């Protein structure tokens, strides 16, 4: 998740509590949230969006160009899936979310937004959340599970502007744990995640092609050197749907 400030967009006449954030969305499906205190009306996204899905509501653009559905906006600390007809930057303005506000989650799956100001490790961001064995948090291109008292997997940090699916073993209320660094009152841009390219891969996955993901943890019956030196992928016909990464000797896809 790339994060940087638009220094040129600083506006001295704004009140100290006001903030402008820009969400960089890619063509196709994006998992989206915002870190403003107030609900953002869906019209802020309908210029390029074709479909907006919340956990309980949705909004879809029909063939005639009309919108239908019950979703009227995006609430703070909630996650949404947005299908874009083209890549676009969407700028929102308002007061920042107070991270001391308690967020309620139900037992089972919850669509969670990340209302923090900075990208934060999973352990730090969820410091006030009480996990149970088998809990999971899933992003559009990575995930982690809670096992033996720690979060383990390919999802290392939670980033503002992104949405996550949180599987809770028990219902609870918790507050997000922000970084100790102060909030800088500047315009802020949160970019969509990109596939890591540090290791050349024979195949590529388009994370924005579909609204949903499937998570797999697998073990291969071969020695560690063979696992480390090979690439494991999942295909649907000729389309690569997933690439595995090795974490603690297991394949996470």
């Amino acid at each position: 998740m790339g994060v940087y400030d638009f220094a040129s967009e600083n506006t001295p006449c704004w009140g100290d509590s006001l903030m402008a954030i820009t969400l960089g969305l890619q063509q196709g499906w994006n998992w989206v949230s915002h870190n403003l205190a107030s609900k953002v009306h869906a019209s802020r996204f309908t210029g390029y969006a074709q479909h907006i899905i919340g956990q309980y509501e949705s909004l879809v653009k029909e063939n005639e160009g009309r919108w239908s559905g019950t979703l009227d906006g995006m609430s703070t600390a909630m996650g949404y899936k947005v299908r874009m007809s083209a890549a676009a930057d969407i700028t929102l303005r308002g007061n920042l979310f107070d991270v001391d506000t308690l967020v309620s989650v139900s037992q089972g799956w919850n669509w969670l937004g990340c209302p923090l100001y900075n990208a934060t490790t999973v352990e730090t961001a969820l410091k006030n959340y009480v996990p149970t064995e088998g809990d999971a948090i899933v992003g559009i291109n990575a995930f982690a599970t809670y096992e033996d008292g720690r979060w383990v997997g390919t999802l290392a940090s939670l980033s503002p502007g992104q949405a996550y699916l949180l599987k809770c073993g028990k219902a609870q209320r918790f507050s997000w744990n922000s970084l100790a660094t102060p909030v800088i009152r500047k315009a802020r841009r949160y970019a969509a995640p990109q596939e890591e390219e540090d290791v050349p891969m024979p195949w590529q996955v388009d994370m924005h092609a579909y609204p949903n993901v499937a998570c797999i943890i697998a073990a291969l019956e071969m020695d560690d050197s063979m696992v480390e030196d090979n690439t494991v992928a999942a295909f649907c016909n000729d389309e690569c749907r997933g690439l595995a990464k090795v974490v603690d000797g297991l394949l996470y896809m």
Side-chain angles (χ1 to χ4, degrees), residues 116-247:
L116 299 176
Y117 181 76
N118 299 293
T120 311
T121 64
V122 175
E123 292 80 3
T124 301
L126 299 180
K127 180 180 178 181
N128 301 322
Y129 170 78
V130 182
T132 58
E133 189 77 7
D135 280 7
I137 184 163
V138 181
I140 193 172
N141 66 335
F143 73 102
T145 58
Y146 190 78
E147 302 173 7
D148 299 327
R150 66 189 183 103
W151 292 99
V152 58
T154 54
L155 183 63
S157 63
L158 304 183
S159 301
Q162 289 296 293
Y164 301 91
L165 307 185
L166 178 65
K167 181 185 179 184
C168 303
K170 60 180 179 180
Q172 60 184 283
R173 302 179 72 196
F174 74 97
S175 61
W176 286 84
N177 182 38
S178 65
L179 291 176
T181 54
V183 172
I184 303 172
R185 297 294 174 181
K186 291 182 178 179
R188 193 77 158 164
R189 185 178 189 273
Y190 301 117
Q194 302 294 325
E195 288 291 351
E196 296 181 5
E197 299 180 354
D198 54 339
V199 179
M201 292 291 183
W203 308 290
Q204 296 294 323
V205 177
D206 182 2
M207 75 176 77
H208 301 290
Y210 303 97
N212 305 315
V213 299
C215 300
I216 299 173
I217 304 175
L220 295 185
E221 293 183 355
M222 58 176 64
D223 60 58
D224 292 341
S225 63
M226 293 181 67
V227 175
E228 295 289 349
D229 295 338
N230 288 273
T231 300
V232 179
F235 286 84
C236 180
N237 296 321
D238 294 330
E239 180 185 4
C240 184
R241 294 286 184 90
L243 292 169
K245 295 182 179 179
V246 179
V247 180

